[in-house]
Amino acid sequence: MIKFWLAISKDEQYRRFRERQQTAFKRFKITPEDWRNRKKWEAYEQAVCDMVDHTSTAAVAHGLWWKPTTSLYARIKVLRTICECLESAFKR
């Protein structure tokens, strides 16, 4: 099993929300519910920590947690990790 958790910072989320509000063709992507949920940021962060604590086991080969510097780097890292795991699985 390979698990990934991809997230953005609170500041980056705010920047994206504001951009969506100010860009006509992106306005449909932002709703009052998005802003309501954003007020619960700390609770969501705690839920993520709880999820990681309760789902990380020694059996998970790729259980390392890292913070990517960019979205592009995160996508590349995810793809590389999947390829490495598949290659390893088929070498057996």
Side-chain angles (χ1 to χ4, degrees):
M1 176 184 292
I2 310 168
K3 299 186 296 184
F4 300 97
W5 177 262
L6 304 175
I8 59 174
S9 70
K10 191 173 185 179
D11 291 340
E12 177 63 13
Q13 183 192 55
Y14 181 76
R15 185 193 69 72
R16 290 180 185 187
F17 281 14
R18 296 293 299 157
E19 180 185 357
R20 287 174 183 168
Q21 280 187 320
Q22 296 168 3
T23 306
F25 66 89
K26 290 185 177 183
R27 282 194 195 120
F28 76 95
K29 292 183 173 187
I30 189 80
T31 68
E33 187 170 328
D34 293 315
W35 290 107
R36 180 184 60 82
N37 290 335
R38 182 177 157 71
K39 292 178 184 174
K40 300 176 184 179
W41 185 272
E42 289 74 22
Y44 283 116
E45 279 189 322
Q46 185 59 53
V48 169
C49 289
D50 292 345
M51 180 264 312
V52 170
D53 288 344
H54 289 89
T55 61
S56 293
T57 66
V60 178
H62 292 277
L64 302 175
W65 295 95
W66 50 272
K67 187 173 183 177
T69 53
T70 66
S71 295
L72 177 61
Y73 177 76
R75 289 181 183 113
I76 291 169
K77 177 70 173 171
V78 166
L79 289 172
R80 283 185 178 156
T81 301
I82 291 170
C83 289
E84 289 169 6
C85 289
L86 289 172
E87 288 172 0
S88 177
F90 286 109
K91 286 182 183 177
R92 294 181 187 172

